[in-house]
Amino acid sequence: PFGSNQAITGSNPYCHVVPYGDGEAFVLDFATTYTAEGKVRVAAFAKREYPPNILYTPDGEMTTDPVAFYGGDMHRIKRIGAISSFGEHKGSGFALSLAIDGGIFADGSLTTPGQVAGRNAVRLTLTNLAALEPRIPREQHDKAMHEFVHRIRSMPPIEADKPVLAPGDPEMIAFRERKANGIPLPSGSLEDIRHMADRMKIRDKVEAIIAAV
């Protein structure tokens, strides 16, 4: 929470999806932390530093090293640190409100005492799902959404070579590019896969799969 260097929740993502038309959707999906933990892991394997004031080590020290966030060893993670919320107290409050909603609607609990999967922090893992049905005809709804999303994308950009995108557009662009050209994988990720394969004694099978790809 804001003002602390320890975590009480995970990245508490928020997702809002509004489908319209044939396979199209307005998709807003983001972590309430400054960055999702999965992106920290990718940066750790890529040996890429993070900007300051985002990551904390498990001992509560500010760091720009994503490996330090995981306790210094990506192959033997015993404790993980904390990630600052976006928007300072506003993002923190939003994250905690999601935890409250998820706890009440899931099982009525708001805390999970003790260690969680060998990690140091008390982490809330709760989900709240809500489906809303429009009170207007589907055709009218889809038309309104088409017009609204088109208006978003038609707004004049600050930089001429960077068009304005609607929520979900960056992910769809990345999906199409990777479907055509493959998914980039940091070398550190391969090392982690091989390390796990050694622990499970299936290294030969994994190497065959890597070679085939």
Side-chain angles (χ1 to χ4, degrees), residues 96-119:
L96 296 175
S97 69
L98 291 176
I100 291 170
D101 287 348
I104 291 173
F105 284 99
D107 61 3
S109 64
L110 290 176
T111 59
T112 304
Q115 298 273 340
V116 179
R119 297 179 177 185

Side-chain angles (χ1 to χ4, degrees), residues 14-75:
Y14 171 80
C15 183
H16 182 198
V17 179
V18 183
Y20 64 94
D22 184 17
E24 297 187 81
F26 175 99
V27 181
L28 179 63
D29 184 3
F30 60 90
T32 50
T33 45
Y34 188 90
T35 183
E37 186 188 332
K39 293 182 179 180
V40 179
R41 181 178 288 268
V42 170
F45 283 128
K47 298 178 173 58
R48 185 176 66 248
E49 284 199 343
Y50 252 78
N53 304 318
I54 295 176
L55 302 178
Y56 292 90
T57 69
D59 294 322
E61 299 294 328
M62 187 73 73
T63 183
T64 59
D65 180 5
V67 176
F69 168 83
Y70 289 103
D73 189 341
M74 295 302 296
H75 298 309

Side-chain angles (χ1 to χ4, degrees), residues 91-205:
S92 176
F94 186 37
L96 296 175
S97 69
L98 291 176
I100 291 170
D101 287 348
I104 291 173
F105 284 99
D107 61 3
S109 64
L110 290 176
T111 59
T112 304
Q115 298 273 340
V116 179
R119 297 179 177 185
N120 61 317
V122 175
R123 311 248 169 176
L124 309 183
T125 307
L126 308 164
T127 301
N128 180 20
L129 304 176
L132 306 179
E133 183 177 354
R135 300 189 65 181
I136 59 175
R138 171 59 63 180
E139 294 77 11
Q140 182 181 347
H141 168 271
D142 289 354
K143 182 175 182 295
M145 282 300 303
H146 270 291
E147 292 174 350
F148 183 56
V149 172
H150 175 72
R151 184 179 178 187
I152 294 171
R153 294 169 177 157
S154 299
M155 295 297 290
I158 296 174
E159 299 180 42
D161 61 339
K162 295 182 179 179
V164 176
L165 302 177
D169 284 352
E171 290 78 10
M172 185 54 66
I173 291 170
F175 171 76
R176 290 168 179 163
E177 192 277 331
R178 290 170 181 175
K179 187 176 182 181
N181 302 314
I183 300 173
L185 189 66
S187 60
S189 295
L190 283 176
E191 293 173 9
D192 197 42
I193 291 171
R194 289 185 170 112
H195 178 78
M196 183 61 68
D198 286 339
R199 290 179 58 186
M200 300 181 68
K201 299 180 180 179
I202 55 171
R203 180 67 176 266
D204 291 344
K205 294 180 180 179

